[in-house]
Amino acid sequence: MSTAKSDNSRPEKVTTRTVVDMKEKGEKISMLTAYDYTMARLVDSGGVDVILVGDSAGNVMAGYETTLPMNMDQMMYHTSCVVRGVERALVVADLPFMSYQVTTKEALINAGKMMKETGAHAVKLEGGKPVVDTVKQIVNAGIPVMGHLGLTPQSIYKFGTYKVRATQDDEAEELLKDARRLEKAGCFAIVLEKIPTKLAKQVTEELSIPTIGIGAGDACDGQVLVLHDMLGLNKDFHPRFIRRYADLQESITDAVGNYVKDVKSLDFPSKKEQYDQ
Ligand code: KIV
């Protein structure tokens, strides 16, 4: 883990340069999502390299079935909360559905707004060839861009399924071309979601920028998981690529159950937990 201290003994901040260098050094990159101040503080203290304010906020924070309903105001709110909780990690903010697909000008305005008004360090957007010119423009404006290929959730209605992508040769070849296009356009990293390990390995070996996988196998330069999934906050969702590091669903329901029991039985508050004068 890159936690070198700077002179004033604060951990050295992770930058887009740091993650590219990590690939060069063969050091794996850890990325997790966060959507609020408290969780961002905890995730940052845990030493994660990159925090993604994913539009998966639409699923895990807002309860939508897909990420499509998320808008700029919502993503900017979540991103500012996260930025306030982070000391070390690189904070990447997802640009929501339809904030960058209509025109390059609109994409540039929205990427700029995200950076200026939230303090994010980079933006992420989904797709290959159709967004390449937009990526170039955003990068030219000085805004770092993370790409996202494979199962891109904003296109779920086009795919019609959450199954593994690019299992057929034609889609795999196109994905590889898209990865090259995004690198050439100036992306500093690319998320590869739910694609075969062999293809992710090929992309990772070809590119000089890092790949960060979710359900894309062990050859990627880094890994990302949705925080709520890895903390076991939503046990109804269990695709094979999730590893659970905690069972917070049970811890929280147990804690709430105990609180309810204590209130009903007059056990809480006790004498020590109240002001008698
Ligand atoms: O929105 C998100 O959380 C993401 C990750 C799954 C990569 O895009």
Side-chain angles (χ1 to χ4, degrees):
M1 188 172 65
S2 282
T3 48
K5 305 268 181 189
S6 59
D7 289 350
N8 58 7
S9 92
R10 289 183 136 197
E12 207 159 275
K13 284 183 187 296
V14 179
T15 67
T16 53
R17 185 69 248 167
T18 319
V19 295
V20 176
D21 287 349
M22 284 168 82
K23 173 173 181 131
E24 271 167 30
K25 289 188 226 147
E27 184 184 344
K28 295 281 184 184
I29 300 156
S30 57
M31 174 157 118
L32 281 174
T33 65
Y35 317 96
D36 66 89
Y37 169 79
T38 301
M39 285 297 189
R41 274 184 60 167
L42 295 173
V43 169
D44 192 48
S45 311
V48 83
D49 301 307
V50 185
I51 295 183
L52 172 67
V53 189
D55 59 0
S56 49
N59 309 114
V60 298
M61 301 301 288
Y64 294 125
E65 206 173 304
T66 72
T67 58
L68 274 66
M70 293 305 282
N71 61 35
M72 278 298 293
D73 286 345
Q74 291 162 328
M75 288 308 301
M76 287 175 60
Y77 169 73
H78 286 296
T79 306
S80 345
C81 297
V82 166
V83 167
R84 285 192 287 274
V86 171
E87 240 184 63
R88 172 183 173 268
L90 180 78
V91 179
V92 181
D94 253 343
L95 289 181
F97 181 57
M98 282 300 138
S99 68
Y100 59 91
Q101 292 94 336
V102 181
T103 64
T104 294
K105 185 175 168 192
E106 201 180 355
L108 192 52
I109 291 169
N110 283 327
K113 214 168 138 63
M114 183 63 86
M115 300 290 287
K116 266 172 101 85
E117 294 178 31
T118 69
H121 308 135
V123 297
K124 175 165 86 57
L125 50 82
E126 298 182 3
K129 199 172 175 193
V131 298
V132 164
D133 284 336
T134 297
V135 169
K136 273 189 208 155
Q137 293 288 324
I138 299 176
V139 173
N140 282 344
I143 301 172
V145 178
M146 178 179 276
H148 186 158
L149 295 171
L151 198 155
T152 45
Q154 292 179 10
S155 302
I156 192 58
Y157 289 118
K158 183 175 93 179
F159 300 144
T161 164
Y162 281 99
K163 282 196 188 132
V164 181
R165 302 304 312 171
T167 52
Q168 304 299 311
D169 287 352
D170 52 348
E171 196 182 335
E173 273 162 33
E174 200 48 39
L175 189 143
L176 188 54
K177 283 188 198 156
D178 278 341
R180 291 187 195 121
R181 289 181 184 119
L182 290 177
E183 172 166 48
K184 199 156 167 242
C187 280
F188 73 93
I190 301 179
V191 167
L192 298 176
E193 180 161 353
K194 231 175 165 182
I195 62 168
T197 306
K198 200 168 138 213
L199 175 61
K201 183 168 189 287
Q202 202 181 347
V203 175
T204 304
E205 285 172 356
E206 268 220 23
L207 302 190
S208 54
I209 56 169
T211 58
I212 304 191
I214 174 161
D218 57 3
C220 293
D221 298 304
Q223 298 293 327
V224 54
L225 285 175
V226 167
L227 186 66
H228 291 54
D229 297 338
M230 62 85 77
L231 291 180
L233 276 163
N234 173 18
K235 287 172 38 186
D236 300 337
F237 183 58
H238 36 72
R240 83 156 76 160
F241 63 80
I242 292 174
R243 183 180 292 182
R244 287 218 173 81
Y245 289 86
D247 188 352
L248 293 196
Q249 183 169 315
E250 200 165 314
S251 304
I252 291 173
T253 47
D254 281 356
V256 172
N258 286 334
Y259 167 73
V260 170
K261 185 165 64 59
D262 289 352
V263 169
K264 306 255 180 216
S265 67
L266 311 186
D267 183 73
F268 177 79
S270 68
K271 284 280 173 231
K272 279 194 287 185
E273 288 158 329
Q274 52 193 310
Y275 304 98
D276 286 334
Q277 48 187 347

